[in-house]
Amino acid sequence: MLTLCVFSRGKLGRYPPWPGKIVNPPKDLKKPRGKKCFFVKFFGTEDHAWIKVEQLKPYHAHKEEMIKINKGKRFQQAVDAVEEFLRRAKGKDQTSSHNSADDKNRRNSSEERSRPNSGDEKRKLSLSEGKVKKNMGEGKKRVSSGSSERGSKSPLKRAQEQSPRKRGRPPKDEKDLTIPESSTIKGMMAGPMAAFKWQPTVNEPVKDADPHFHHFLLSQTEKPAVCYQAITKKLKICEEETGSTSIQAADSTAVNGSITPTDKKIGFLGLGLMGSGIVSNLLKMGHTVTVWNRTAEKCDLFIQEGARLGRTPAEVVSTCDITFACVSDPKAAKDLVLGPSGVLQGIRPGKCYVDMSTVDADTVTELAQVIVSRGGRFLEAPVSGNQQLSNDGMLVILAAGDRGLYEDCSSCFQAMGKTSFFLGEVGNAAKMMLIVNMVQGSFMATIAEGLTLAQVTGQSQQTFLDILNQGQLASIFLDQKCQNILQGNFKPDFYLKYIQKDLRLAIALGDAVNHPTPMAAAANEVYKRAKALDQSDNDMSAVYRAYIH
């Protein structure tokens, strides 16, 4: 059975709906305890997730509304793929029905040939045939007069009438799971989805249901799919050649439908593009959070959401068990720890500090040493993502340092991200993060270069994007960034000045080990030109403007 899924987007908004297929889970994957749920594989990705029954709703009754609300090209392509699936399935059903009719005719012919040929029997047979023809004629009239009634029947109901099945196990070739109608299905849409309303009663029949594509899923607070490989084991450990250990933590939101927040007091320093979304999700999942920001006004929104206000970084650290920090660059990270009323002044034995800033390995190693020298515990945990992913609680966390602290941060990481990796000793996460951002920044510059080259050679930029979206490079990142460029929308989702900083640090990392980074160096020069054109505080996609000026 296919599904259409709707997920939460941002603090109050939602993800667009996305088609998926309900499938049998792997044999070694245990079903979550609690409410009834089904295992879903999502079209266009390799993601899987357990989805609760109460998140299911009819597809056909609301398909057009959902398409109107979600104009994304990739979403439309996914819907087109589903429609193609339905057409193929319908063709198979018709073929199966035709074959069944042929078999029945062959059986009838065989029976007629085996009957006696006496005159009485022939007359009886002729009389019976006459009755059959008469009934068939009446049947045709009924079908003709009732065609509108037949058209109003749901495909699901017609399918059930055409192919009744005895109770028991389904045929071996039927791999999809069926979902029983549930009286618990509710429509609770809000925010950007306010135009979409559905409030069925307990016994309300589902209209225009389709046997192959019957429901879409609503997730009010849960995050979307997590690959079942991450669900199978809570900690998936892979030994790398370097000897460091990478641990992919399962997302307990997808598995259990909720997060049990730690009872430790959480502090958070820095409410920028990334920090704001992180704090919002920590609060949303029930954590006790104290916040501080250099610009105090940014704290107001989170105070209204239930956070406490810290007057200085030192005060936050001294009153909290675990303090997270997310600031812009190495200088800001050092000032936060070593400056007046800084983190170090609040560190006492047992106090924990987690630096989520993207900085170089030397900086994070220095900070770790001073924190540990005061009896504190230290973990670096830079994040891969952007503002939207931060708001959605879908960041990827790269952690290194104190392994016990990493485990203590489990509920926090689950609230703010979809996956976390533990990479061993301090410095490894910084290096890995710089390499990841180096690739991302270089890719963005290459996309901008391609778009501008297409333009100056008389090619359609939109067609260029369409071609990329149909090929191996297709991704949400590619589509979103290109669409924003074509619309002239450079509202920051990841500041251009920060990706240029990461490229600079990645190049320095290569220099330190005598490893060439010519692609990153070339991209860095383009970003530097964009900064000279006053694009620093725009999104990284504004590197496009470096090519057109």
Side-chain angles (χ1 to χ4, degrees):
M1 181 177 293
L2 299 181
T3 60
L4 182 63
C5 311
V6 180
F7 302 107
S8 60
R9 176 184 286 278
K11 290 182 283 187
L12 296 174
R14 329 197 154 262
Y15 272 99
W18 206 264
K21 185 176 182 181
I22 295 177
V23 297
N24 287 315
K27 293 180 180 179
D28 59 344
L29 181 60
K30 293 182 179 180
K31 194 170 185 178
R33 297 177 181 177
K35 297 184 179 179
K36 190 171 184 180
C37 56
F38 297 90
F39 196 65
V40 177
K41 178 181 179 181
F42 298 93
F43 274 80
T45 74
E46 292 303 319
D47 288 339
H48 301 68
W50 288 106
I51 304 296
K52 297 177 183 177
V53 168
E54 61 262 29
Q55 295 173 251
L56 306 181
K57 288 191 176 183
Y59 166 72
H60 277 290
H62 308 290
K63 169 187 164 187
E64 296 302 325
E65 294 174 77
M66 301 307 293
I67 291 177
K68 288 178 183 178
I69 292 170
N70 300 283
K71 302 290 186 180
K73 188 176 184 65
R74 290 176 63 81
F75 170 73
Q76 185 57 54
Q77 291 172 347
V79 172
D80 291 343
V82 171
E83 295 301 322
E84 177 62 26
F85 176 90
L86 295 178
R87 283 192 291 273
R88 291 199 304 268
K90 185 177 180 181
K92 290 180 180 179
D93 290 343
Q94 291 175 344
T95 301
S96 176
S97 177
H98 180 72
N99 291 339
S100 297
D102 289 346
D103 291 342
K104 185 175 181 180
N105 290 336
R106 283 194 294 269
R107 286 196 300 271
N108 289 341
S109 297
S110 176
E111 290 172 1
E112 289 174 6
R113 285 195 298 270
S114 65
R115 288 176 181 171
N117 293 326
S118 66
D120 292 342
E121 291 296 337
K122 286 182 179 179
R123 282 193 296 274
K124 289 180 181 179
L125 180 60
S126 176
L127 182 61
S128 298
E129 287 176 347
K131 289 181 179 179
V132 170
K133 288 179 181 178
K134 182 178 179 180
N135 290 339
M136 287 176 65
E138 292 175 356
K140 287 181 180 178
K141 290 179 182 179
R142 284 196 298 270
V143 169
S144 176
S145 64
S147 60
S148 61
E149 180 183 350
R150 180 186 64 182
S152 66
K153 275 189 179 182
S154 70
L156 177 59
K157 192 169 183 179
R158 292 201 300 273
Q160 290 171 340
E161 291 172 352
Q162 290 171 1
S163 56
R165 180 179 296 158
K166 295 180 181 181
R167 291 185 179 180
R169 301 178 66 179
K172 291 183 180 179
D173 60 346
E174 182 175 324
K175 295 182 180 179
D176 294 348
L177 302 178
T178 55
I179 300 180
E181 291 303 321
S182 171
S183 62
T184 63
I185 296 176
K186 301 290 182 181
M188 299 185 294
M189 306 298 287
M193 307 293 289
F196 179 81
K197 297 178 180 179
W198 185 62
Q199 299 289 344
T201 59
V202 171
N203 297 318
E204 179 182 346
V206 179
K207 298 179 181 179
D208 297 323
D210 187 281
H212 301 288
F213 191 93
H214 185 50
H215 294 91
F216 66 83
L217 313 180
L218 290 181
S219 177
Q220 304 300 327
T221 58
E222 286 84 3
K223 290 178 284 187
V226 176
C227 188
Y228 72 74
Q229 286 91 343
I231 298 176
T232 305
K233 296 180 180 180
K234 278 211 166 184
L235 294 177
K236 178 182 177 183
I237 304 177
C238 306
E239 292 298 330
E240 300 179 348
E241 292 180 0
T242 60
S244 62
T245 303
S246 170
I247 299 179
Q248 184 170 353
D251 185 336
S252 69
T253 301
V255 179
N256 301 319
S258 64
I259 290 174
T260 302
T262 179
D263 57 2
K264 297 181 183 296
K265 296 178 181 178
I266 304 300
F268 204 96
L269 312 175
L271 301 175
L273 289 183
M274 307 297 279
S276 294
I278 291 172
V279 170
S280 179
N281 283 305
L282 288 172
L283 290 170
K284 190 185 301 180
M285 297 304 170
H287 294 84
T288 300
V289 185
T290 300
V291 296
W292 174 90
N293 191 68
R294 185 175 56 183
T295 306
E297 290 76 15
K298 285 190 175 182
C299 297
D300 293 343
L301 174 63
F302 302 101
I303 302 304
Q304 295 173 11
E305 292 183 3
R308 301 171 183 176
L309 178 64
R311 292 175 296 179
T312 66
E315 180 182 284
V316 174
V317 172
S318 64
T319 58
C320 295
D321 301 304
I322 303 174
T323 300
F324 294 85
C326 188
V327 293
S328 58
D329 55 31
K331 183 180 184 304
K334 289 181 179 180
D335 290 345
L336 186 63
V337 174
L338 305 174
S341 300
V343 168
L344 193 59
Q345 294 185 19
I347 291 292
R348 298 192 303 273
K351 291 292 182 180
C352 302
Y353 186 62
V354 182
D355 194 338
M356 308 191 78
S357 312
T358 300
V359 298
D360 58 286
D362 290 342
T363 296
V364 77
T365 299
E366 179 183 345
L367 296 179
Q369 289 173 348
V370 296
I371 295 294
V372 173
S373 69
R374 294 286 185 93
R377 301 167 65 194
F378 182 86
L379 185 74
E380 59 166 332
V383 293
S384 178
N386 54 31
Q387 183 185 28
Q388 188 62 64
L389 293 175
S390 175
N391 290 341
D392 297 338
M394 293 297 291
L395 297 170
V396 175
I397 299 109
L398 311 183
D402 189 317
R403 173 64 177 273
L405 177 52
Y406 169 71
E407 294 172 352
D408 289 343
C409 293
S410 176
S411 72
C412 297
F413 288 159
Q414 289 168 9
M416 65 180 75
K418 65 175 181 179
T419 307
S420 63
F421 294 84
F422 184 77
L423 302 177
E425 64 183 19
V426 170
N428 284 344
K431 294 172 185 176
M432 184 68 80
M433 190 74 259
L434 290 176
I435 295 169
V436 169
N437 282 359
M438 177 189 75
V439 172
Q440 181 175 322
S442 300
F443 182 51
M444 183 69 252
T446 302
I447 294 171
E449 192 170 290
L451 280 168
T452 52
L453 183 59
Q455 184 180 39
V456 299
T457 57
Q459 306 305 306
S460 166
Q461 291 179 315
Q462 183 61 56
T463 301
F464 170 69
L465 173 58
D466 292 342
I467 292 170
L468 291 180
N469 277 333
Q470 292 299 319
Q472 293 178 326
L473 294 178
S475 66
I476 295 175
F477 175 84
L478 171 71
D479 188 50
Q480 288 180 344
K481 294 303 182 186
C482 287
Q483 292 290 359
N484 288 343
I485 288 174
L486 297 182
Q487 295 167 13
N489 174 19
F490 298 104
K491 181 181 177 180
D493 197 40
F494 191 120
Y495 282 117
L496 184 144
K497 60 186 177 184
Y498 293 158
I499 197 67
Q500 190 273 323
K501 175 262 299 183
D502 294 345
L503 281 165
R504 173 173 54 82
L505 294 176
I507 293 167
L509 176 62
D511 289 344
V513 293
N514 198 29
H515 182 79
T517 53
M519 305 302 293
N524 186 46
E525 293 303 315
V526 183
Y527 283 101
K528 285 164 64 177
R529 172 159 174 72
K531 287 177 67 177
L533 294 170
D534 296 326
Q535 301 302 311
S536 291
D537 291 327
N538 281 333
D539 185 70
M540 62 187 295
S541 56
V543 68
Y544 173 83
R545 288 179 169 168
Y547 287 97
I548 61 176
H549 287 85

